[in-house]
Amino acid sequence: MAAYAAAAAIGVTAVVTGVGLAEARTTAKPLVTGVKVVEGPEAGGGKPSVAACPEGMRVLNGGFRSAWHETDDVIANAPMADGKGWAAMQLYGRVRARAVCVPADQAPQVAMAPRSEKPGGDSEAHCPAGTKAIAGGWVTHGWTRTNGGLAADAIDINAPTKNGNGWWVSQEYGYVEARALCS
């Protein structure tokens, strides 16, 4: 119970205990209305799964469900460039994208960074003036494999920038592109 009291003191609404999520509580007021979660088709073999938002809606956030194994990696997990959905892609295995969609007039805008300048470099998507990053993701442009074909690369950073004005992504060996959702 001490964990719950400490978490409440700093405004955390979920507390992890032991191995799994013990309890999740929410006290937040809804910021948007008309939220709809959509799921893309299952895709594999290096093809993307796209969770497309319904007409008149844009993406607020997203993610993926993966049939991951040790020789595979997710190589894209990002909002679509036009903001109309979320994409996920896996090297070999199967993946399914999910998107949280909201009415277009309530949706954040997508900011895209150029591909990292060198392999193993960073990419930062910068939000327009007066906005902050509320979510983000990455798209890789090349993924290092061992001589045996096993995945040997990693996304080392996938987080908001320290000042919150963008999204920062770093890939261990390959090229990467950051994407931010800004509001």
Side-chain angles (χ1 to χ4, degrees), residues 111 113-114 116 120-127 133 135-139 155-171 176-181:
S116 53
D122 295 355
S123 178
E124 278 190 26
H126 300 282
C127 291
W138 75 90
V139 177
I155 297 297
D156 297 323
I157 300 166
N158 179 41
T161 57
K162 285 184 180 181
N163 64 9
N165 292 336
W167 203 260
W168 177 30
V169 178
S170 181
Q171 186 171 337
V176 68
E177 169 194 319
R179 294 189 182 175
L181 287 170

Side-chain angles (χ1 to χ4, degrees), residues 85-97:
W86 195 271
M89 189 164 59
Q90 195 160 326
L91 272 176
Y92 309 113
R94 309 204 68 70
V95 67
R96 188 180 299 257

Side-chain angles (χ1 to χ4, degrees), residues 30-35 56-60 101-109 134 182-183:
L31 297 176
V32 295
T33 58
V35 174
M57 299 185 92
R58 297 290 182 270
V59 70
L60 176 65
C101 304
V102 296
D105 64 344
Q106 298 178 51
Q109 70 182 86
I134 60 169
C182 307
S183 185

